[in-house]
Amino acid sequence: MSMDMTTVGDTGLLDTLQHEVAVFARRAEQTRLGGVGQVRNSMDRAAYLLLNRLDREGPMGVKALAASMGIDSSTVTRQVAPLVDTGLVKRTSHPEDGRAVVLQLSPRGAARLEEVRSSRRQLMAELTHDWAPEEREEFCTLLTRFNRALSARMTVQGVPPAEQPPTS
């Protein structure tokens, strides 16, 4: 679906927006928005998103986890293997079907996830220390809206969304 630039806003503003999104993506990748202190950059994005999903939604099978994250099962299997090896995720048998595997955040994984979240919260506080609370809230609202629009566009194009932000 193509839109005439005059219907969506000023071309100069859209050029600035696309540039700032590109810079943000580069900066986010460079820092992984990892946080501060010793925890900084100590968990990759895939691990963080998997642990976060298991924490929010509880134990689930590989297929369910893959579907909820918008990635394929083989990717989840590959990404979860080191998390199991390091004790952050437990593999257990499904209570109703012993042949099926259920992935669950381990106590160690929950503690590690909270450590990373805390570090990342501290980083967000530092980066926005001079923002008014309303500005932080508006930024969160707009960034969430932007991410949902990207996800919706990818879904329309046949690409499943990679990660939905938490709903409040």
Side-chain angles (χ1 to χ4, degrees):
M1 166 166 120
S2 176
M3 291 186 162
D4 180 349
M5 296 305 272
T6 59
T7 63
V8 291
D10 175 44
T11 301
L13 179 62
L14 295 174
D15 284 345
T16 300
L17 178 60
Q18 67 80 23
H19 175 77
E20 291 302 325
V21 168
V23 170
F24 171 77
R26 180 179 52 203
R27 297 280 186 258
E29 187 57 33
Q30 286 172 336
T31 66
R32 293 187 189 174
L33 291 180
V36 295
Q38 293 180 347
V39 180
R40 185 179 184 280
N41 290 336
S42 59
M43 184 179 289
D44 71 35
R45 180 179 52 240
Y48 178 78
L49 293 173
L50 282 166
L51 294 177
N52 200 48
R53 181 65 61 157
L54 288 172
D55 184 50
R56 285 195 343 235
E57 295 185 20
M60 66 180 78
V62 171
K63 286 183 182 179
L65 183 57
S68 76
M69 295 185 68
I71 56 181
D72 62 60
S73 295
S74 64
T75 301
V76 167
T77 300
R78 186 177 63 253
Q79 290 177 348
V80 85
L83 301 176
V84 171
D85 291 345
T86 57
L88 300 177
V89 170
K90 296 188 303 188
R91 278 192 184 116
T92 59
S93 296
H94 191 282
E96 296 164 10
D97 179 359
R99 298 169 296 166
V101 172
V102 174
L103 300 170
Q104 179 177 0
L105 192 62
S106 71
R108 181 176 179 203
R112 183 74 182 103
L113 180 59
E114 183 48 39
E115 206 176 54
V116 171
R117 281 179 179 157
S118 177
S119 175
R120 290 179 178 193
R121 276 192 300 271
Q122 187 177 348
L123 176 63
M124 294 300 108
E126 285 180 17
L127 294 174
T128 63
H129 77 277
D130 58 347
W131 296 19
E134 303 80 34
E135 290 175 312
R136 284 181 177 175
E137 193 166 325
E138 182 68 9
F139 183 70
C140 286
T141 299
L142 292 172
L143 190 56
T144 299
R145 184 175 170 191
F146 186 80
N147 281 328
R148 286 190 176 141
L150 279 173
S151 291
R153 186 173 196 279
M154 291 173 66
T155 300
V156 166
Q157 293 178 338
V159 178
E163 177 68 13
Q164 292 293 327
T167 54
S168 336

